[in-house]
Amino acid sequence: MDHFLYRDGILHAEDVPLPEIAAEVGTPFYCYSTATLTRHYRLFEEALSGLDHMVCYSVKSLSNQAILRTLAGLGAGMDVVSGGEYRRALAAGVRGEKIVFSGVGKTREEMGFALAHGIRQFNVESDAELQSLSEVASTMGKTAPITLRVNPDVDAKTHEKIATGRKEDKFGIPISRAPEIYAQATRLPGIEVVGVDVHIGSQLTDLAPFEAAFTKIADLTRSLRADGHDIRRVDLGGGLGIPYTTSNETPPLPLDYGAMIHRVFGGLDIEVEIEPGRLIAGNAGILVAQVIYLKQGEGRDFLILDAAMNDLIRPAMYGAHHDIVPVIEAPAAIDQRPVDIVGPVCESGDTFAKQRPMPPLAAGDLVAFRSAGAYGAVMSSEYNTRPMIPEVLVHEDQYAVIRPRPSFDEIINRDKLPNWL
Ligand SMILES: *Cc1c(COP(=O)(O)O)cnc(C)c1O
């Protein structure tokens, strides 16, 4: 459920008509709903109630300061995967003690910065990283709380590019090697083992792979405890999928996901952390674009928008589907015609949808891409020197630009000429 609904035939974000925002900020733009973000965060809080738990929002899915501050205000912790995201979380007012640091390639600089400003835990992904962290922490006279991210060798049954828990993926430590590396960790200076971590992928639409992985983590927890390790926390990663079409997808609900976590970990007297990104941010955002041209090709028609693959790369990168709807609602009885919906970028990959049935649209009409909040703005670029599009946050009947569109001068002046030119 989200808060982008038609009222009197006009698509609104909460209480704000989208044409009003378009008139002020221009198109294309991202638009987020505070009520939807809040609702989704609270679903996870509810799903885990009764367990000692912390919901650490995955910053990489949508990392604008206004979004982080909204979620931090609800009590969220943060999961970051770079020094830049760590700084974003701090800047949004999140204390270091509520920040979890994930990722396969943390540098010594990033480790040192996080240790200096406070950290809940590092999710360590290799013995080499463990060694580096030990050296950085002991040089600083600090102790780094850690979990080891284990790779449970479970197929998440999701898109190839976002599956992370199979043995051929670059992530985590093979579960068979976990006992050995935990033993190594306890011998290293500056390291304190606090738990176990797993994250098997993104956009999972079935609970079975989660349950298979979590059961392995629960078993590992028991055997590590039997070996004398103080395993007091499990971090279960993110990955719960969202419906990208209203018609045929029914991913599990957070409540069912939570019930399964209760089942697997309820008896272990352990703190549970989760790192959802997409499920919190995905349906809380849309991308609004304008039709520039209609073009008749040979045997097919094209709808050319002012948004392109540099603004929303998911269709080009993952073959992802986004529902695309007119901002002015089409009459229910109207004939839909298949069109290819494309952007202006000079690549055939700049195609959002092929042969998508759409109501009649004309140049100047607005359309909205649904479910564009997660992995949308954060993955955008300025390819073709197209300015990064603005982000707008709505809260009831108010809205604010939370990242303005840069001017062309700002973009061009970022380049510096060498002294010989
Ligand atoms: C990307 C990522 C997440 C968030 O995944 P979603 O599918 O957006 O919920 C959580 N944890 C880690 C380690 C990640 O890399």
Side-chain angles (χ1 to χ4, degrees):
M1 211 220 105
D2 62 48
H3 292 76
F4 299 102
L5 298 170
Y6 289 106
R7 282 191 202 167
D8 301 324
I10 299 170
L11 192 61
H12 282 57
E14 301 189 16
D15 300 329
V16 183
L18 288 165
E20 190 180 316
I21 304 178
E24 189 189 322
V25 309
T27 56
F29 63 92
Y30 278 102
C31 178
Y32 310 119
S33 151
T34 302
T36 313
L37 274 177
T38 303
R39 179 186 137 79
H40 289 163
Y41 172 77
R42 293 209 169 120
L43 285 177
F44 282 112
E45 278 293 335
E46 260 170 57
L48 295 186
S49 71
L51 289 171
D52 184 9
H53 71 272
M54 183 169 215
V55 178
C56 294
Y57 170 65
S58 174
V59 170
K60 76 172 191 274
S61 62
L62 173 58
S63 62
N64 188 292
Q65 284 293 289
I67 302 297
L68 300 189
R69 205 170 268 269
T70 300
L71 292 167
L74 300 171
M78 301 279 154
D79 169 49
V80 304
V81 292
S82 70
E85 286 190 354
Y86 179 90
R87 285 168 172 84
R88 276 189 183 275
L90 277 191
V94 182
R95 284 182 300 113
E97 289 66 32
K98 293 187 87 169
I99 305 175
V100 169
F101 204 141
S102 301
V104 289
K106 304 175 199 78
T107 64
R108 286 171 183 250
E109 186 280 329
E110 290 173 321
M111 293 169 176
F113 189 83
L115 280 168
H117 292 83
I119 187 82
R120 181 169 169 81
Q121 96 232 2
F122 292 92
N123 293 332
V124 172
E125 300 217 16
S126 63
D127 23 7
E129 182 191 338
L130 189 59
Q131 190 64 45
S132 291
L133 183 57
S134 166
E135 286 166 20
V136 172
S138 35
T139 306
M140 294 171 73
K142 299 254 183 195
T143 300
I146 67 134
T147 69
L148 290 181
R149 175 170 177 181
V150 297
N151 183 324
D153 193 22
V154 165
D155 186 350
K157 303 250 171 12
T158 183
H159 190 278
E160 172 64 23
K161 288 185 182 157
I162 48 176
T164 59
R166 305 163 300 180
K167 61 179 185 299
E168 63 270 32
D169 298 321
K170 70 180 176 183
F171 299 96
I173 288 161
I175 197 160
S176 56
R177 288 195 61 209
E180 165 204 337
I181 302 186
Y182 272 95
Q184 189 185 324
T186 53
R187 289 192 298 268
L188 285 172
I191 297 288
E192 184 196 7
V193 170
V194 299
V196 184
D197 169 49
V198 70
H199 170 73
I200 59 171
S202 198
Q203 186 53 18
L204 272 73
T205 51
D206 184 0
L207 282 185
F210 282 123
E211 185 156 7
F214 295 174
T215 303
K216 289 188 180 192
I217 297 304
D219 291 344
L220 178 65
T221 298
R222 288 186 198 93
S223 77
L224 290 171
R225 282 176 170 177
D227 291 345
H229 297 288
D230 180 17
I231 304 297
R232 47 191 188 267
R233 184 181 296 166
V234 283
D235 180 332
L236 303 177
L240 200 55
I242 61 170
Y244 278 98
T245 65
T246 36
S247 45
N248 59 7
E249 278 179 325
T250 48
L253 300 171
L255 264 185
D256 298 329
Y257 170 79
M260 183 270 288
I261 293 175
H262 274 268
R263 220 165 41 239
V264 177
F265 293 99
L268 273 178
D269 186 23
I270 200 158
E271 181 182 9
V272 172
E273 244 167 40
I274 55 169
E275 304 169 343
R278 191 187 305 268
L279 202 137
I280 292 178
N283 287 331
I286 60 173
L287 187 163
V288 178
Q290 190 172 152
V291 176
I292 310 180
Y293 294 117
L294 298 172
K295 173 171 162 172
Q296 287 189 334
E298 196 127 12
R300 60 175 65 206
D301 292 342
F302 297 94
L303 196 61
I304 304 174
L305 303 181
D306 62 358
M309 64 189 288
N310 68 297
D311 305 312
L312 177 66
I313 205 169
R314 298 188 66 261
M317 183 134 149
Y318 310 118
H321 173 101
H322 285 270
D323 279 354
I324 302 169
V325 299
V327 166
I328 305 298
E329 193 172 23
I334 208 144
D335 251 7
Q336 305 233 348
R337 289 263 189 102
V339 287
D340 283 12
I341 304 176
V342 304
V345 160
C346 307
E347 301 216 15
S348 294
D350 186 21
T351 298
F352 292 119
K354 286 202 160 155
Q355 296 301 290
R356 177 76 60 88
M358 292 294 284
L361 286 161
D365 286 351
L366 299 174
V367 296
F369 290 67
R370 288 192 170 278
S371 314
Y375 308 105
V378 287
M379 292 179 92
S380 61
S381 75
E382 288 175 344
Y383 186 39
N384 281 207
T385 307
R386 293 169 46 83
M388 300 272 265
I389 68 178
E391 294 177 280
V392 174
L393 180 62
V394 172
H395 175 47
E396 299 172 352
D397 61 354
Q398 308 174 61
Y399 69 92
V401 175
I402 57 172
R403 188 182 69 191
R405 195 189 309 275
S407 71
F408 287 110
D409 281 347
E410 281 174 279
I411 296 174
I412 294 164
N413 290 336
R414 252 188 259 136
D415 296 352
K416 296 294 166 216
L417 290 173
N419 59 13
W420 65 86
L421 285 178

